[in-house]
């Protein structure tokens, strides 16, 4: 049946023509014979033939069958081999596959196969010679790569390099370990749902925090700062406290005359786990707090007793009583100190590392964020361009936006005034004012605003303005002049000494920075394109396979293994894999064990599908799913949607359908047959991970062949796949 469906359409067209011609020829013959006969003879002839019409039809049918068989043999010998040869030759021509084509068909076609094989051998010899020269020329570059890899692997600090879209381009082993600790399911996904080549850094970090730090970097680059870095602090789901330092990656060949966007191609994140450091600092703070607060009363009692002992006429019993008070309070203080030093309780407070930031940068960022988020006019008045602050800028911006939003909704304030100046008291503080001109605002109406949790739109922060100010060891108050119709919120924040100057010698045309890699991903912007219109070569893929207890998911068969690998930027990332056995909660039929090799002992104690699918869902997030005979695997996933609440709604590509698009005349589209055509080595067949790897390599071979047929985008590939016969199969 499969071979009959794929027979060349020209064969059926010829058979139809032959049948039609034969019928017309018979009718014309009978008509001519009848026209030359007398009516009596014609009646006699028809009476003789009438009883034999069935025999005549059978003879005609047998003749047509013989013609069809002859045409089929002729096509199989002369036409079909040449069509199949053309498809297989196209694979060798458009990909890097090297294999010998098998001769078949007529003698001429066999000779053509031999000549083509010779051309392939010659081409491969030339390619190997060229590769040898390229390897020789690139030897020094490869050494630099190895040095960079060795350096990155030995660093004790986590390093992640991203492009401007937040896509990860490079990371070291330390970063992988750090992200594994941040994972919600480290035993299943090993952190791969958070970190990986091409993955978004925003799956791990708040987009607003990263965007804010990147904005600070841009501002410092705009001023020509020698070291335009920024930092922020964030907490992970596991309760860790991370300090993240961001540095820019400058575009290759960029000059100082270009805009900041032209000079910036990405950023580097350096992660430090400061949880232990903060716990130790907090513990010391707790001890100090216990000493100061707990000893205050004892010191007051001692001071009072000492004051009484100064009287010369104090009677001996009274003097002895005051001395006893002193001894008792000293003993209490000694026991308190010993108790505090020996008590490893939970820290009372947490320190948040601050960054030094130019005040003018903070004001510019605040004005821009308020105008964009609230559509309010912001005027900067009296901003001292030389002032530096030591702050955690993200929380300060949140406080300013929150207060601005409440002014807008409560009093319909339309214009705000930002100012920054040294504190009038002459201390190391800076006064930041958020002012307004509105006669209806009174101090009484503003009471409690600093104590409420900050809310920006639908987002509610765990902090209040009071918490933010307390974090900075500062002060906050509000002032209103009812007569003038003006007022302001005033922040008293810590000042910092100027630490940043434009040092053009640090980066002169990027000559001081060695170039180890040329990352093509810095130029890609997949976030700005519609997925259906994205080229196949620019998409990220999760190629997966499942092993199951049987072939009928609707009748109780279950998944017993999921294997997946990722493809990004046209490269199979073999180390970023998902491979997990699953306890199906039912028996594994003995007949299926020889196929996949998974025994009941192997899945006993493994996690159930309700635990595995969330990890796999996170692993496959923001990618296109690819599988061989994907309808089968997707059906198993779809039947678990109600159980897990997870929907795999991303686009799906099927290598079986794509193979049928590329090679419609081939006899088989089984994974082994396709792998043989592409010279892909099959290892671990009928294991989920093994099949996923083979499918991934096959898919990479199919992409250039699809482009030859004018299929370049995801939407075009899905449309072409749906037009094949196999797309009508249902599970």
């Amino acid at each position: 049946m499969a071979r009959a469906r794929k027979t060349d359409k020209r064969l059926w067209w010829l058979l139809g023509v032959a049948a039609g011609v034969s019928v017309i020829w018979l009718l014309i013959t009978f008509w001519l014979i009848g026209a030359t006969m007398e009516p009596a003879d014609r009646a006699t002839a028809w009476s003789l033939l009438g009883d034999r019409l069935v025999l005549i039809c059978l003879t005609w049918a047998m003749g047509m069958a013989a013609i069809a068989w002859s045409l089929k043999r002729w096509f199989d010998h002369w036409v079909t081999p040449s069509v199949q040869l053309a498809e297989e030759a196209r694979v060798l021509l458009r990909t890097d596959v090297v294999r010998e084509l098998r001769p078949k068909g007529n003698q001429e076609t066999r000779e053509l196969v031999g000549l083509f094989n010779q051309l392939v051998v010659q081409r491969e010899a030339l390619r190997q010679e060229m590769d040898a020269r390229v390897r020789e020329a690139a030897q020094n570059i490869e050494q630099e790569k190895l040095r960079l890899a060795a350096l990155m692997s030995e660093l004790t600090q986590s390093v992640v390099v991203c492009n401007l879209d937040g896509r990860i381009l490079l990371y070291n082993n330390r970063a992988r370990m750090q992200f594994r600790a941040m994972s919600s399911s480290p035993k299943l996904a090993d952190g791969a749902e958070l970190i990986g080549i091409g993955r978004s850094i925003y799956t791990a970090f708040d987009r607003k925090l990263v965007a804010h730090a990147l904005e600070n970097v841009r501002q410092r680059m705009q001023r020509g700062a020698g070291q335009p870095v920024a930092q922020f602090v964030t907490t992970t789901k596991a309760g860790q406290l991370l300090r993240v330092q961001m540095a820019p990656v400058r575009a290759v060949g960029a000059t100082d005359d270009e805009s900041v966007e032209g000079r910036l191609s990405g950023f580097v994140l350096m992660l430090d786990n400061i949880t232990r450091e903060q716990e130790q600092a907090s513990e010391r703070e707790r001890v100090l707090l216990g000493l100061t607060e707990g000893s205050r009363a004892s010191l007051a009692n001692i001071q009072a007793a000492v004051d009484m002992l100064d009287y010369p006429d104090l009677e001996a019993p009274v003097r002895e009583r005051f001395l006893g008070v002193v001894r008792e309070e000293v003993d209490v203080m000694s026991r308190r100190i010993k108790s505090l030093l020996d008590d490893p309780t939970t820290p009372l407070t947490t320190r948040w590392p601050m960054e030094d930031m130019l005040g003018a940068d903070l004001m510019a960022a605040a004005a821009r964020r308020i105008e964009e988020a609230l559509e309010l006019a912001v005027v900067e008045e009296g901003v001292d361009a030389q002032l530096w602050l030591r702050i955690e800028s993200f929380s300060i911006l949140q406080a300013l936006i929150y207060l601005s939003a409440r002014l807008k909704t409560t009093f319909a304030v339309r214009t705000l005034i930002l100012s920054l100046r040294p504190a009038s008291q002459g201390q190391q503080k800076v006064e930041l004012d958020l002012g307004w001109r509105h006669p209806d605002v009174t101090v009484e109406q503003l009471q409690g605003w600093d104590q409420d949790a900050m809310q920006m739109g639908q987002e509610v922060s765990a902090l209040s303005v009071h918490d933010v100010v307390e974090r900075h060891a500062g002060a906050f108050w509000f002032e209103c002049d009812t007569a003038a119709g003006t007022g302001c919120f005033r922040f008293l924040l810590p000042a910092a000494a100027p630490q940043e100057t434009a040092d053009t010698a640090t980066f002169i045309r990027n000559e001081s920075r060695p170039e180890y890699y040329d990352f093509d991903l810095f130029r890609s912007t997949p976030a700005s394109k519609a997925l259906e219109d994205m080229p196949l070569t620019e998409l990220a893929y999760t190629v997966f396979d499942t092993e199951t207890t049987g072939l009928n998911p609707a009748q109780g068969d279950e998944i017993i293994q999921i294997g997946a690998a990722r493809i990004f930027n046209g490269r199979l990332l073999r180390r970023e894999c998902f491979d997990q056995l699953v306890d199906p909660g039912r028996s594994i039929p003995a007949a299926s064990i020889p196929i996949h090799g998974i025994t009941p002992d192997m899945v006993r104690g493994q996690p159930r599908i309700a635990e595995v699918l969330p990890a796999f869902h996170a692993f496959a997030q923001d990618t296109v799913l690819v599988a061989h005979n994907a309808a089968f695997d997707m059906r198993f996933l779809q039947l678990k949607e109600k159980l897990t609440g997870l929907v795999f709604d991303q686009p799906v590509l099927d290598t079986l359908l794509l193979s049928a698009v590329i090679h419609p005349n081939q006899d088989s589209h089984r994974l082994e047959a396709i792998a043989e055509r592409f010279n892909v080595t099959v290892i671990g067949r009928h294991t989920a991970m093994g099949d996923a790897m083979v499918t991934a390599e096959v898919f990479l071979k199919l992409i250039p062949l699809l482009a030859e047929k004018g299929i370049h985008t995801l939407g075009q590939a899905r449309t072409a796949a749906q037009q094949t016969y196999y797309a009508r199969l249902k599970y």
Side-chain angles (χ1 to χ4, degrees):
M1 292 293 292
R3 292 181 63 90
R5 281 193 299 269
K6 291 188 279 290
T7 301
D8 198 302
K9 293 180 179 179
R10 288 173 291 181
L11 174 61
W12 299 112
W13 183 81
L14 287 175
L15 286 175
V17 171
V21 169
S22 64
V23 170
I24 294 172
W25 177 76
L26 286 175
L27 293 176
I28 292 175
T29 300
F30 287 146
W31 180 80
L32 289 174
I33 293 174
T36 59
M37 297 176 66
E38 294 296 331
D41 295 336
R42 190 183 303 124
T44 302
W46 279 115
S47 64
L48 292 173
L49 293 176
D51 297 335
R52 295 170 178 82
L53 282 177
V54 175
L55 179 60
I56 293 173
C57 292
L58 288 175
T59 304
W60 175 83
M62 292 176 62
M64 291 306 304
I67 293 173
W69 180 82
S70 300
L71 282 175
K72 181 66 170 61
R73 291 296 301 272
W74 184 81
F75 261 78
D76 289 343
H77 188 68
W78 290 95
V79 179
T80 303
S82 61
V83 174
Q84 293 179 345
L85 173 63
E87 292 179 345
E88 295 180 0
R90 191 175 293 109
V91 171
L92 300 181
L93 180 64
R94 301 301 181 187
T95 67
D96 58 355
V97 173
V98 178
R99 70 182 183 91
E100 185 176 351
L101 300 179
R102 291 195 303 270
K104 50 184 168 181
N106 56 77
Q107 184 62 31
E108 290 78 4
T109 303
R110 290 173 177 270
E111 291 179 1
L112 185 60
V113 170
L115 292 174
F116 201 96
N117 285 334
Q118 293 179 23
L119 290 174
V120 171
V121 171
Q122 292 178 4
R123 186 194 67 173
E124 186 59 23
L126 291 173
R127 179 182 293 173
Q128 290 178 357
E129 181 181 354
M130 184 182 297
D131 290 344
R133 293 183 180 180
V134 171
R135 285 195 299 269
E136 182 180 356
Q139 185 175 3
N140 292 335
I141 297 177
E142 188 64 26
Q143 289 178 354
E144 295 295 339
K145 288 183 178 181
L146 293 175
R147 290 172 187 168
L148 176 61
L151 176 64
M152 292 285 289
S153 63
E154 295 299 326
L155 284 177
T156 58
Q157 190 176 38
S158 302
V159 178
V160 181
V161 183
C162 303
N163 64 10
L164 291 178
D165 287 330
R167 298 287 176 180
I168 298 173
L169 314 180
L170 172 70
Y171 60 92
N172 62 354
N173 290 333
R174 186 74 178 182
R176 187 175 183 86
M177 294 172 59
Q178 182 67 64
F179 278 76
R180 186 180 189 277
M182 296 165 59
S183 173
S184 58
S185 54
K187 293 183 179 179
L188 298 179
D190 196 32
E193 80 277 19
L194 297 179
I195 191 169
I197 301 300
R199 285 204 173 279
S200 174
I201 194 66
Y202 302 125
T203 59
F205 296 131
D206 184 358
R207 182 183 292 270
K208 292 181 179 179
L209 278 173
V210 177
H212 173 67
L214 189 59
E215 184 178 7
N216 289 343
V217 168
R218 286 193 178 101
Q219 291 174 343
R220 295 177 185 187
M221 289 181 67
Q222 187 69 41
R223 293 197 312 273
Q227 295 180 336
V229 298
Q231 71 175 14
F232 59 88
V233 176
T234 184
T235 55
T236 69
K237 293 181 179 179
Q240 299 172 325
L241 191 64
L242 295 183
R243 179 172 55 225
V244 184
Q245 188 174 20
M246 177 186 289
V249 175
R250 298 169 187 259
V252 177
T255 64
D256 293 338
D257 297 333
E258 297 184 39
S259 65
V260 171
E261 292 299 331
R263 286 182 283 151
L264 188 64
S265 62
F267 54 87
V268 180
L269 299 179
M270 290 159 283
L271 317 178
D272 281 321
N273 189 338
I274 59 174
T275 307
R276 178 75 59 86
E277 175 186 336
Q278 295 305 306
E279 288 176 350
Q280 292 174 350
S282 297
E283 180 65 20
R284 290 193 295 270
E285 183 175 303
R286 188 189 66 82
V287 172
L288 181 61
L289 183 65
L291 284 173
T292 55
E293 295 297 325
S295 300
R296 185 177 299 172
S298 296
L299 289 173
N301 291 335
I302 292 174
Q303 182 64 48
V306 170
D307 290 341
M308 295 300 298
L309 290 173
D310 286 340
Y311 289 101
D313 56 347
L314 195 65
E315 297 181 357
V318 177
R319 180 180 297 275
E320 184 61 30
R321 188 164 62 250
F322 282 118
L323 288 173
V325 170
V326 172
R327 285 191 291 269
E328 182 179 350
E329 293 297 340
V330 169
D331 182 63
V332 169
M333 290 180 64
S334 298
R335 284 187 280 108
R336 181 178 295 113
I337 292 174
K338 185 177 184 304
S339 174
L340 289 172
L341 292 176
D342 294 340
D343 182 19
T345 56
T346 305
L348 299 178
T349 60
T350 301
R351 296 171 183 260
W352 284 78
M354 305 297 173
E355 64 174 323
D356 293 346
M357 184 175 186
L358 187 63
D361 287 349
L362 178 66
M363 294 294 94
R368 183 164 52 255
R369 294 282 296 277
I370 292 172
E371 289 173 348
E372 292 175 355
L374 303 176
E375 298 181 352
L376 294 176
V378 180
V379 179
E380 296 183 38
E381 293 182 357
V383 175
D384 191 329
Q386 305 301 319
L387 284 180
W388 283 76
L389 297 85
R390 187 159 183 78
I391 57 173
E392 200 277 300
S393 55
F394 184 72
S395 60
I396 292 292
L397 280 180
Q398 282 188 312
L400 292 173
I401 295 173
Y402 159 71
L403 293 173
S404 301
R406 291 201 66 171
L407 287 171
K408 176 183 177 180
T409 56
T410 306
F411 302 107
V413 172
R414 294 300 175 188
T415 303
L416 297 173
I417 305 168
L418 287 174
S419 61
L420 187 72
R421 59 186 175 276
S424 57
Q425 296 89 341
Q427 52 188 338
Q428 293 297 316
K429 298 287 185 179
V430 172
E431 291 182 356
L432 188 161
D433 288 355
L434 175 65
W436 62 85
R437 295 188 179 94
H438 197 283
D440 297 333
V441 182
T442 63
V443 172
E444 291 76 14
Q445 293 171 310
L446 303 177
Q447 295 291 339
W449 282 24
D450 60 326
Q451 301 292 333
D452 297 337
M454 295 187 296
Q455 182 173 357
M456 287 72 66
Q458 300 298 322
E459 299 182 14
V460 179
S461 172
L463 300 174
S464 64
V465 175
H466 176 78
D467 296 331
V468 173
V469 173
E470 188 177 56
R471 172 185 296 181
H472 291 80
F476 173 81
W477 65 92
F478 31 86
E479 299 177 353
C480 291
D481 187 343
T482 307
T486 61
C488 72
F489 293 112
R490 179 160 297 167
F491 293 81
L492 192 65
L493 301 173
Q499 297 182 10
E500 189 178 274
T501 58
D503 185 4
T504 56
T506 304
F507 292 102
I508 301 178
R509 299 184 183 275
N510 295 331
E511 292 177 358
S512 64
R513 177 171 50 86
E515 297 177 359
Y516 294 112
Y517 290 104
D518 180 15
F519 291 103
D520 291 336
L521 290 178
F522 281 129
R523 298 193 296 269
S524 66
T525 56
S528 63
K529 301 179 181 178
L531 203 58
E532 283 291 311
D533 297 328
M534 282 280 291
L536 293 172
T537 53
E538 296 184 15
L539 289 165
Y541 303 93
T542 297
V543 188
F544 77 104
D545 184 71
T546 62
E547 296 299 330
T548 62
T549 58
L551 304 178
N552 298 305
Q555 298 179 15
D557 281 319
E558 296 285 347
I559 296 173
I560 55 177
Q561 188 181 29
I562 299 179
R566 297 183 65 244
I567 292 176
F568 189 79
N569 202 31
R571 186 159 60 97
L572 175 57
L573 307 178
R574 297 180 180 275
R575 297 187 63 183
E576 296 182 9
C577 301
F578 185 96
D579 189 8
Q580 181 62 48
L581 290 169
V582 182
D583 185 351
R586 54 155 292 177
S587 62
I588 300 178
S592 67
I593 294 177
I595 299 175
H596 47 62
I598 300 175
T599 63
D601 291 339
M602 294 171 63
V603 299
R604 189 174 296 114
Q606 296 291 337
R608 301 294 292 272
I609 193 65
E611 302 175 57
V612 175
L613 275 190
F616 177 62
H617 188 272
F619 179 84
Q621 190 175 7
D622 297 328
T623 63
V624 176
L625 292 177
V626 179
H628 189 77
N629 196 8
F632 176 80
D633 301 284
M634 291 303 299
R635 183 57 177 162
F636 275 90
L637 298 182
Q638 291 164 358
L639 289 176
K640 297 301 177 184
E641 290 180 359
K642 187 175 182 180
L643 173 65
T644 62
L646 299 173
V647 178
F648 290 83
D649 55 359
Q650 54 262 74
V652 180
L653 290 177
D654 191 337
T655 51
L656 185 150
L657 303 183
L658 296 179
S659 175
V661 171
I662 297 299
H663 297 146
N665 296 289
Q666 294 299 317
D667 297 332
S668 174
H669 295 287
R670 296 175 63 245
L671 187 58
E672 296 94 332
I674 303 174
E676 181 182 359
R677 284 199 289 273
F678 290 132
N679 199 27
V680 173
T681 303
V682 178
I683 300 176
R685 181 70 172 111
H686 289 303
T687 66
M689 196 69 249
D691 285 356
M693 285 294 185
V694 174
T695 304
E697 293 194 40
V698 165
F699 179 68
L700 288 174
K701 304 288 187 185
L702 286 169
I703 290 177
L705 297 177
L706 289 168
E708 285 296 315
K709 287 185 170 289
I711 301 172
H712 301 280
T713 66
L714 174 64
Q716 291 171 342
R718 297 179 69 190
T719 300
Q722 291 303 315
Q723 294 174 354
T724 63
Y725 164 78
Y726 296 96
R728 296 193 294 270
L729 296 179
K730 302 296 181 182
Y731 288 90

